[in-house]
Amino acid sequence: MEYTKLGQTDIEISRICLGCMSFGVAGSMHKWTLDEQASESIIQHALSLGINFFDTANSYSKGTSEEYLGKAILKNVARDKVVLASKVYFNEGRLSKAAIHREIEGTLKRLGTDYLDLYIIHRFDYQTPMEETMLALHELVQQGKVRALGASAMYGYQFYNLQQIAKDHGWTPFSAMENHYNLLYREDERELIPICKQMNVSLIPYSPLAGGHLARNTWESNTLRGQTDTVVKGKYDHMQQADMKIVQRVAELSQKYECSMSQIALAWQLKKGISAPIIGATKIKYIDDAIGAFDIKLSKDDLLYLEENYLPHPIVGAIDENPPVGTILLNTKS
């Protein structure tokens, strides 16, 4: 396992992060999530391979993702040996001061810990003043409930403004950006990613395998997730024809390097300067596969070959307004 520092903090993270949206009571968010025992098995295996970085959210499976993760950590590893990240936004009050202070207490209780290593705002809040949000987050750091702050999918100018507000007031800035980024979706290369690199903010993208599309040479999947995940369909199906050209090139390079397609997709991310792609796994073999990406060294020509068929995509991740209250799944396809 390789490790790096989170932003400009002293927090050391593994360069693979285990995403925990796969864990929780099935049907409370997705039909394909794992029960507590299966979730613990995945977490145990990740720990055995040196993964110390885990990402969840207060909205994942109505809080049961946090509960499963917290119980597994308590039983299998010392708290100070892992980096736990969770998120806030898809809740009553969004990113208001009252909501942030309320939601952190729920997250800490479900995780069974008295502090969070990384607290991430899940989206940009169009209703709460930015100063109110950044001050509330800074207060959590001052209180010792949070070690570092992060943001998730938003527009570059929004992230820049939030960072500038923190700087102007001497408050805690963001150290990480969890954005939507993979070979099939590269819109953040225009603004958000350059801003993050300029500010020494770690990039920890979600969906590095595009919901599985970069892990197989066919578009459709007959797995439970492939048949029922309306979010993945909503995020990617509209660009299927163009994106399959990229998928085929991933498949070609996987044959060249005698590895899996997912390893090519992850090796591309690591080569692009990503700190830690977030891997969602429902099977142990998927974690082993992800670790193998470190052994794949892509050339500049490989990168160009993978990237040259990319076409501009509709924005998926950043939002233009707050969704209706109670929404926990965006970009769904009915």
Side-chain angles (χ1 to χ4, degrees), residues 264-310:
I264 294 295
L266 293 174
W268 174 82
Q269 291 225 343
L270 297 172
K271 188 78 171 180
K272 298 289 283 188
I274 298 305
S275 295
I278 299 174
I279 305 300
T282 54
K283 296 180 181 179
I284 284 176
K285 66 179 181 180
Y286 296 157
I287 306 177
D288 294 332
D289 195 51
I291 300 298
F294 291 112
D295 297 325
I296 310 302
K297 307 301 180 183
L298 299 177
S299 67
K300 290 184 179 179
D301 287 341
D302 291 332
L303 296 188
L304 291 173
Y305 188 67
L306 290 169
E307 295 173 2
E308 68 177 343
N309 282 330
Y310 184 80

Side-chain angles (χ1 to χ4, degrees), residues 7 22 48 122 155 190 224 265 315:
S22 304
S48 73
H122 216 153
Y155 292 109
R190 304 172 190 273
L224 178 60
I315 298 299

Side-chain angles (χ1 to χ4, degrees), residues 86-266:
S86 194
K87 297 184 278 293
V88 57
Y89 172 83
F90 291 101
N91 46 254
E92 181 183 350
R94 305 294 184 191
L95 300 180
S96 67
K97 177 177 180 178
I100 286 173
H101 281 275
R102 179 191 69 240
E103 291 299 318
I104 189 63
E105 297 303 327
T107 284
L108 294 177
K109 182 178 181 180
R110 288 186 291 271
L111 285 169
T113 183
D114 57 4
Y115 71 95
L116 198 63
D117 298 284
L118 177 63
Y119 205 27
I120 301 168
I121 57 172
H122 216 153
R123 290 295 188 277
F124 182 83
D125 184 358
Y126 285 88
Q127 294 172 309
T128 304
M130 290 183 286
E131 289 82 1
E132 179 179 341
T133 294
M134 295 309 294
L135 175 56
L137 293 171
H138 177 64
E139 289 172 344
L140 297 185
V141 176
Q142 286 186 311
Q143 294 167 5
K145 295 178 180 178
V146 172
R147 296 177 67 195
L149 302 175
S152 190
M154 61 182 61
Y155 292 109
Y157 78 92
Q158 295 170 333
F159 183 67
Y160 183 91
N161 287 341
L162 291 167
Q163 288 285 71
Q164 189 63 46
I165 287 170
K167 181 179 180 180
D168 289 345
H169 291 83
W171 297 337
T172 308
F174 294 118
S175 297
M177 167 53 68
E178 182 176 331
N179 62 316
H180 182 204
Y181 187 56
N182 56 57
L183 274 165
L184 302 188
Y185 185 83
R186 295 166 45 204
E187 296 308 297
D188 284 349
E189 290 179 352
R190 304 172 190 273
E191 297 289 345
L192 184 60
I193 290 176
I195 290 171
C196 289
K197 290 183 176 181
Q198 174 184 317
M199 295 182 171
N200 293 316
V201 171
S202 291
L203 295 166
I204 54 171
Y206 66 87
S207 294
L209 302 180
H213 289 303
L214 292 169
R216 59 180 182 269
N217 60 7
T218 59
W219 192 259
E220 301 297 336
S221 167
N222 60 7
T223 65
L224 178 60
R225 180 177 185 181
Q227 296 299 308
T228 64
D229 195 330
T230 57
V231 175
V232 167
K233 293 178 183 295
K235 286 162 67 174
Y236 299 110
D237 278 5
H238 56 284
M239 293 293 290
Q240 175 181 347
Q241 185 174 355
D243 286 350
M244 273 304 296
K245 296 178 181 179
I246 301 170
V247 171
Q248 291 303 323
R249 292 203 169 185
V250 174
E252 291 173 22
L253 281 187
S254 72
Q255 294 177 352
K256 171 185 173 181
Y257 284 96
E258 298 183 335
C259 66
S260 69
M261 290 177 61
S262 61
Q263 288 171 343
I264 294 295
L266 293 174

